[in-house]
């Protein structure tokens, strides 16, 4: 099973941000603050069969997860996005609880990182 957060990716992000820990922490905090709205937007999009909106939300989750090294969340969102590309809304809806759980676990891991 892939890790929730890859510490090397967080270090790389900090380097990419000029070594500024405060900027990195702000990025992490923004991710944490946006998680519930992203999850809610995805649920709404899938409930209303808005495939374009669901794809946009999943792209957002995947790209920010990749930047933070949130490996498991990125992979989970990728699987859901593949299901979406097959236009399998039922399959997408079935995967939402897993995405929600991995997202919550990832947020907890990132919060612990900030506290350390």
């Amino acid at each position: 099973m892939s890790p929730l957060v890859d510490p090397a990716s967080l270090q790389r992000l900090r380097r990419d941000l000029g070594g500024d820990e405060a900027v990195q922490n702000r990025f992490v905090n923004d991710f944490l603050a946006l998680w519930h709205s992203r999850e809610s937007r995805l649920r709404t999009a899938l409930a209303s069969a808005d495939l374009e909106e669901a794809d946009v939300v999943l792209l957002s989750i995947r790209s920010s997860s990749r930047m933070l090294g949130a490996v498991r969340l990125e992979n989970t969102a990728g699987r859901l996005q593949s299901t979406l590309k097959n236009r399998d809304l039922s399959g997408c809806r079935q995967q939402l609880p897993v995405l929600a759980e991995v997202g919550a676990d990832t947020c907890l891991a990132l919060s612990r990182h900030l506290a350390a």
Side-chain angles (χ1 to χ4, degrees):
M1 181 178 289
S2 57
L4 283 170
V5 178
D6 174 22
S9 293
L10 282 170
Q11 291 171 350
R12 193 169 32 259
L13 175 61
R14 183 182 298 168
R15 265 196 323 272
D16 291 347
L17 295 170
D20 191 334
E21 184 177 5
V23 174
Q24 177 196 18
N25 289 347
R26 188 171 35 230
F27 190 89
V28 172
N29 278 317
D30 288 347
F31 178 88
L32 296 172
L34 290 170
W35 171 247
H36 291 293
S37 66
R38 284 179 174 148
E39 181 187 353
S40 177
R41 282 178 55 205
L42 181 59
R43 285 184 188 281
T44 300
L46 292 175
S48 64
D50 186 343
L51 302 182
E52 186 175 325
E53 173 68 1
D55 192 50
V56 167
V57 175
L58 286 167
L59 283 171
S60 175
I61 291 170
R62 289 185 72 195
S63 63
S64 58
S65 295
R66 184 176 303 117
M67 292 175 71
L68 290 171
V71 178
R72 201 174 311 165
L73 183 57
E74 180 186 0
N75 292 339
T76 303
R79 284 190 299 278
L80 204 155
Q81 194 169 34
S82 293
T83 304
L84 180 68
K85 288 191 186 305
N86 291 327
R87 305 182 70 77
D88 179 2
L89 287 173
S90 176
C92 289
R93 291 179 188 122
Q94 289 174 357
Q95 292 179 52
L96 276 175
V98 174
L99 182 75
E101 181 179 350
V102 172
D105 291 347
T106 299
C107 287
L108 183 60
L110 288 168
S111 294
R112 287 181 179 149
H113 169 77
L114 287 176

